[in-house]
Amino acid sequence: MKQARAWQRMLSGRRLDLLDPTPFDIEIEDIAHGLAFVARWNGQTHGDYAYSVAEHSLLVDALFCRLNPGAKAAERLTALLHDAPEYVIGDMISPVKAAIGPEYDVLDKRLAAAIHIRFGLPASTPKTLKTRIKKADRVSAWMEATQIAGFSEAEASKFFGRPDAAVIDGLSIVLRPASEVRADFTAQHAHLMEQMT
């Protein structure tokens, strides 16, 4: 029986094998492009543009900095790339991930390891750093839920916890065209990579 194709051709020309990804087939332009066109919240957000995973990742980076003053560039890059595998596997809301089961997590971890190695990060994110990034991720989710996804503050606080007002002060979600978000994501990645050298 013929084996199903498990690779995807990227716009860069790379062929990424989803079951056996290699860092050599990872390009930031592919990640930025894919994430800029993947909608969070299954697209169920107010506005004329989708709220993309790339935009979410930029917000998580900003929140991570506020929560962790003096964070190293490598830690910030890890925060920026925390959802990077979604450039090929898409963003699934938590109930869907639970329904799929552990196979989704295995695929996500395999892709994340290849991405991390490609950009000079440890293949597996240390638990303490993962916890700190998750905190920023939850603050981002609360902001998204209340500002663009139709949740009341009470409902969002029940699911994600109410963030400290000082952490989100002055931050707001502005929906933008994918091309702008893609450019900002790529620029932030380049900035952090430069700081790491």
Side-chain angles (χ1 to χ4, degrees), residues 92-105:
M92 293 189 206
I93 59 174
S94 296
V96 175
K97 289 179 185 176
I100 291 173
E103 290 81 9
Y104 178 90
D105 193 45

Side-chain angles (χ1 to χ4, degrees), residues 125-167:
T125 304
K127 188 175 181 182
T128 54
L129 177 56
K130 188 177 279 193
T131 299
R132 289 162 49 211
I133 293 170
K134 188 63 182 173
K135 185 172 182 181
D137 194 33
R138 290 177 68 79
V139 174
S140 176
W142 187 91
M143 290 177 65
E144 295 162 23
T146 57
Q147 292 183 31
I148 58 171
F151 285 59
S152 68
E153 289 193 5
E155 187 179 19
S157 298
K158 178 181 171 186
F159 291 112
F160 309 113
R162 180 178 292 274
D164 184 330
V167 173

Side-chain angles (χ1 to χ4, degrees), residues 66-93:
R66 288 182 174 207
L67 291 165
N68 302 277
K72 296 175 183 173
E75 295 172 325
R76 290 189 59 196
L77 183 60
T78 306
L80 182 70
L81 296 173
H82 78 284
D83 281 337
E86 294 178 8
Y87 87 108
V88 287
I89 59 176
D91 179 42
M92 293 189 206
I93 59 174

Side-chain angles (χ1 to χ4, degrees), residues 13-29:
R14 301 281 189 186
R15 285 189 179 191
L16 181 65
D17 185 336
L18 301 181
L19 300 180
D20 188 22
T22 168
F24 299 110
D25 292 323
I26 307 288
E27 298 292 343
I28 193 58
E29 292 80 11

